Amino acid sequence: MRDIDKTKEELIDEIGLLRKKVSELEQVAWESKKIEKELLETKKSTEATLKELKDTNLQLEQAIEKANQMAVIAETGNITKSQFLSNMNHEFRTPMNAILGMSNLLLDTGLTAEQREWVEVIISAGNSLFSLLSEILTLTEIQDGQFELDEITFKVRTLIEDIIKNFRTDAEKKRLGLFHYVREDIPVTLQGDSRLLKTILIRILENAIKFTDRGEIILRVEPQNSEKGDTVMLHFSVSDTGIGIAEDKLDVIFDSFTQIDSSLSRKYEGIGIGLSIAQKLVTILGGKIWVESKLNQGSTFHFTVKLNPVN
């Protein structure tokens, strides 16, 4: 009798364990279904985003086709060069902004490592193309005389600090030191085209970071005596510890589409118009630009601009 009672107790215990295991399996099954549902939703979201990217890419292709058509029309003189540039600026930037924006949103979805790598390639290539288009359009606008000075009151130190802040991440990725120094005797507030000044500094700093793999980059701003008492001449310099420039290339470094070495274009990318844009904008601002450099020892790009004091 005792043996029977013992057997019953063991059976009850085993049944309890089985029920517990069944409950655990049901929980696992429920969680599995939940994960499967989330994966399905992520897949649908990813597919929808990819479809939007394909649609945007189609818009870009259509924009390129339209650009070719407008180029033909422009050559026949039916539209002006300025109209052509204005339309191209819009036709290219709109789909490019959409591609980059949607790609960045896609990164926030549940992508696999391989899918994430593909999207990062899209973003990198898109940024490069966007930068290239911007440079070409900017250079063409300058050559067409479309740049008009927009003189506003601004603070030099604030402008410099904002630019340095924007380049901080790029410098940190390459483990470069990035420093700036603004002389104390420079007026706090000046008047001039801060937009063009910012563009010049961005082009030169981009160049410095691109061609510097170790060391540091220093941006300095100092006053320089001007011939006229009603203007303030500022001297900007950007020094780097990069690859430097050969002496026989110093005279052509500011020419459009110039690379100091054709092999470097494959390593560092770009088509060599950033410094040409900077030179032309410096001229517009009443200054001059020059470079001091030694091969494998670094470079220092100098430029001056005329600004007006604020009374």
Side-chain angles (χ1 to χ4, degrees):
M1 189 70 179
R2 288 179 181 177
D3 291 340
I4 294 173
D5 291 340
K6 185 178 180 180
T7 302
K8 285 182 178 180
E9 289 176 359
E10 290 175 350
L11 285 171
I12 290 171
D13 290 341
E14 289 179 2
I15 290 171
L17 288 172
L18 284 171
R19 285 177 176 173
K20 184 178 179 182
K21 290 292 183 183
V22 169
S23 178
E24 290 175 354
L25 288 172
E26 288 176 345
Q27 180 67 24
V28 169
W30 181 81
E31 290 180 354
S32 177
K33 287 182 179 179
K34 182 181 177 183
I35 292 172
E36 184 180 354
K37 182 180 178 181
E38 290 176 352
L39 287 173
L40 183 61
E41 290 176 353
T42 300
K43 181 181 178 183
K44 289 180 179 178
S45 175
T46 302
E47 289 175 347
T49 306
L50 286 172
K51 184 179 182 301
E52 291 183 18
L53 280 173
K54 288 180 180 179
D55 292 341
T56 306
N57 188 53
L58 178 62
Q59 292 177 21
L60 182 60
E61 291 176 354
Q62 292 172 345
I64 293 172
E65 183 180 355
K66 187 173 181 179
N68 291 330
Q69 295 172 353
M70 292 184 67
V72 173
I73 297 173
E75 288 175 0
T76 63
N78 291 334
I79 62 173
T80 66
K81 187 177 180 181
S82 60
Q83 288 175 319
F84 174 74
L85 289 173
S86 177
N87 280 299
M88 286 306 91
N89 190 25
H90 172 75
E91 293 293 339
F92 279 116
R93 288 178 185 271
T94 301
M96 283 305 303
N97 279 326
I99 289 174
L100 294 174
M102 294 305 301
S103 297
N104 279 297
L105 288 175
L106 189 59
L107 282 179
D108 295 331
T109 62
L111 300 176
T112 64
E114 187 177 26
Q115 289 172 333
R116 179 170 293 274
E117 184 179 351
W118 293 343
V119 176
E120 287 174 348
V121 169
I122 292 173
I123 293 173
S124 177
N127 282 325
S128 296
L129 180 57
F130 194 87
S131 177
L132 175 62
L133 291 171
S134 295
E135 287 191 339
I136 293 175
L137 288 168
T138 299
L139 181 63
T140 310
E141 287 172 0
I142 294 171
Q143 291 175 337
D144 198 40
Q146 293 189 48
F147 265 91
E148 295 182 1
L149 290 178
D150 181 20
E151 296 197 352
I152 62 172
T153 299
F154 68 98
K155 295 181 179 179
V156 177
R157 287 174 181 80
T158 301
L159 177 71
I160 297 299
E161 289 169 359
D162 288 344
I163 293 173
I164 291 294
K165 186 187 298 182
N166 290 335
F167 279 100
R168 187 72 65 190
T169 301
D170 291 336
E172 289 175 352
K173 285 180 181 177
K174 300 184 74 172
R175 298 184 179 179
L176 300 174
L178 180 60
F179 309 100
H180 67 283
Y181 169 70
V182 181
R183 274 261 298 265
E184 293 292 335
D185 51 345
I186 289 179
V188 174
T189 305
L190 290 168
Q191 189 176 51
D193 196 321
S194 61
R195 177 178 60 96
L196 296 190
L197 176 57
K198 183 177 181 179
T199 301
I200 296 166
L201 287 168
I202 287 173
R203 300 300 181 192
I204 295 176
L205 282 168
E206 281 178 343
N207 196 70
I209 291 177
K210 179 191 293 187
F211 292 105
T212 303
D213 292 325
R214 62 178 180 273
E216 62 185 25
I217 297 165
I218 304 175
L219 168 59
R220 294 183 176 87
V221 189
E222 301 172 325
Q224 180 170 305
N225 294 332
S226 60
E227 298 177 357
K228 297 181 180 180
D230 57 346
T231 62
V232 176
M233 181 74 79
L234 294 186
H235 175 199
F236 296 80
S237 64
V238 176
S239 302
D240 65 60
T241 54
I243 61 175
I245 306 168
E247 187 175 354
D248 62 342
K249 299 292 185 181
L250 293 176
D251 292 337
V252 299
I253 192 65
F254 295 107
D255 291 350
S256 299
F257 307 104
T258 296
Q259 290 278 9
I260 57 177
D261 187 336
S262 58
S263 63
L264 294 178
S265 63
R266 293 189 293 271
K267 179 179 179 181
Y268 294 100
E269 298 183 345
I271 58 174
I273 62 175
L275 292 177
S276 176
I277 290 172
Q279 182 195 42
K280 289 174 171 57
L281 294 181
V282 166
T283 301
I284 291 173
L285 292 178
K288 62 179 182 178
I289 188 170
W290 69 98
V291 60
E292 298 171 340
S293 183
K294 289 187 178 180
L295 195 61
N296 300 320
Q297 295 184 31
S299 307
T300 300
F301 284 84
H302 303 264
F303 71 92
T304 59
V305 296
K306 287 182 179 179
L307 299 170
N308 299 316
V310 178
N311 298 323

